[in-house]
Amino acid sequence: KTAGGAANDESNRDNAQQQLHAKLNEENSTSDYCTWYLRVLTAAQMKSNPDRFLPFLLADETNMMMDIPTFCSREVEPMGKECGMVTVAALAECLGVKVLIEYM
């Protein structure tokens, strides 16, 4: 390829990335479906390996242990809930990726 062709390919890739970023950040659109799908994957991973995740679950006010199905129905599956370390770990394991969580 010529230098102009390579620059054009890079410009097209940048444009595609910008369009994907915009699409995935539209409220009440594609991003909600993607988020919902990732929540389903996370819940499925936790439910299929309860012994792996159960020791990390505490109920909010009572500091009592919460079972996996209850935790998933309250904290993982509903849209608009923040994710914590245990849910990030479950999703990372499900997708087979490594994640490093840093706290500021």
Side-chain angles (χ1 to χ4, degrees):
K1 284 190 175 186
T2 65
N8 193 29
D9 287 347
E10 187 173 330
S11 175
N12 288 340
R13 184 175 54 248
D14 289 344
N15 188 34
Q17 287 175 344
Q18 289 172 354
Q19 288 177 348
L20 178 62
H21 183 269
K23 190 72 171 166
L24 291 177
N25 283 289
E26 287 178 23
E27 199 164 328
N28 298 319
S29 185
T30 305
S31 63
D32 289 344
Y33 294 108
C34 293
T35 301
W36 175 81
Y37 179 69
L38 294 173
R39 288 179 178 280
V40 169
L41 290 178
T42 302
Q45 180 71 16
M46 294 182 76
K47 290 175 182 178
S48 67
N49 298 293
D51 294 337
R52 163 85 173 93
F53 299 104
L54 190 60
F56 303 101
L57 305 184
L58 290 175
D60 293 335
E61 297 85 30
T62 62
N63 272 349
M64 301 289 289
M65 293 297 287
M66 191 183 317
D67 64 7
I68 295 287
T70 301
F71 179 81
C72 288
S73 68
R74 290 183 186 174
E75 302 296 329
V76 180
E77 295 162 350
M79 294 292 284
K81 288 287 196 168
E82 295 288 327
C83 65
M85 188 174 67
V86 69
T87 52
V88 171
L91 181 59
E93 285 179 18
C94 180
L95 297 176
V97 297
K98 293 183 180 185
V99 175
L100 174 64
I101 298 174
E102 293 187 19
Y103 292 96
M104 302 180 106

